[in-house]
Amino acid sequence: DCYEPPRKPGGKVWLRKFDPAVAFDGVDYLVTWDDFYGDLQRSSDNIYGARVTPAKTVLDPGGIPITEELHGGAHSPSLVFGGSTYLVVWIEGVSVRAARVTPEGAVLDPNGFVISTTFASSPVDAFDGTNYLVTWNTDVDVFGTRITQAGGVLDPDGILISQNPPPPPATCMGPGVTIVDLAPATPYPSNCVVSGLSGTVTDVNVKLNELTH
């Protein structure tokens, strides 16, 4: 049955199901979603699923708990069927996690296994006949990794698929000086070149966070 903590007398409970995803195994569908629970003391997001037949019969009316964390933060599920199992992927915290689910509704990896621990969002997965490919973005670049049908992570460091080029140096002009930021895309402190109106470089590699007003 779908896990639901007891409602507290006089308390408020919020229940929400959203972000559905669906795949087909040749016989039935598997639908997954973000299952939110909240009350006045805590809240959690977990990933649930349910199988649905082509005749529209819901085989798991209480849902299949793919994650069951008391204070779970799982969201953004995606799934694909390949070989003999579904691969369900989602975001939890800043990590990408995954779990295999059989066509019979058995969760082979309860609460999932880690694919990536770097900041990630918008996971998507596909199957090539041998392995799964899971992709995600970091809000800057796109990464991916291959997953075996046995749940093995073939590329633990990720595959860089697309990288944003660094922005051009930023220039700021003020009375008598021009400041060119040499490293706007790197973490602070940022290094700069300061030049006067004549074009003479007066200061090289100034750390902005060491300047005083």
Side-chain angles (χ1 to χ4, degrees):
D1 292 337
C2 179
Y3 170 75
E4 180 178 324
R7 296 171 183 261
K8 297 175 174 58
K12 292 184 178 181
V13 174
W14 295 266
L15 302 174
R16 185 184 176 203
K17 305 176 191 299
F18 58 103
D19 273 356
V22 62
F24 186 64
D25 64 16
V27 177
D28 297 315
Y29 300 94
L30 177 63
V31 181
T32 61
W33 64 89
D34 182 337
D35 199 277
F36 173 81
Y37 171 89
D39 58 31
L40 296 179
Q41 295 182 334
R42 70 172 186 85
S43 64
S44 65
D45 284 272
N46 281 295
I47 304 301
Y48 271 72
R51 294 168 299 151
V52 182
T53 71
K56 300 182 290 187
T57 301
V58 179
L59 299 177
D60 310 289
I64 302 168
I66 297 172
T67 69
E68 288 187 284
E69 299 287 350
L70 187 61
H71 299 282
H75 61 92
S76 305
S78 175
L79 75 158
V80 68
F81 182 79
S84 60
T85 59
Y86 293 93
L87 184 71
V88 182
V89 299
W90 64 90
I91 299 297
E92 189 161 346
V94 297
S95 301
V96 183
R97 299 183 69 89
R100 295 166 298 148
V101 180
T102 70
E104 293 74 34
V107 180
L108 300 180
D109 312 290
N111 292 319
F113 55 89
V114 174
I115 293 178
S116 172
T117 58
T118 58
F119 177 82
S121 61
S122 306
V124 179
D125 51 348
F127 185 70
D128 66 6
T130 301
N131 296 312
Y132 304 97
L133 177 66
V134 180
T135 63
W136 63 91
N137 75 67
T138 64
D139 286 343
V140 178
D141 304 316
V142 177
F143 283 84
T145 189
R146 296 165 299 155
I147 309 294
T148 69
Q149 295 181 51
V153 180
L154 296 177
D155 311 290
D157 294 329
I159 305 165
L160 179 58
I161 297 173
S162 179
Q163 184 176 28
N164 274 342
T171 301
C172 177
M173 297 188 68
V177 296
T178 298
I179 300 177
V180 179
D181 189 348
L182 297 180
T186 59
Y188 291 108
S190 184
N191 295 331
C192 296
V193 167
V194 180
S195 61
L197 290 178
S198 64
T200 303
V201 175
T202 58
D203 299 278
V204 178
N205 290 335
V206 177
K207 287 184 170 56
L208 291 184
N209 68 342
E210 293 181 357
L211 295 179
T212 57
H213 296 288

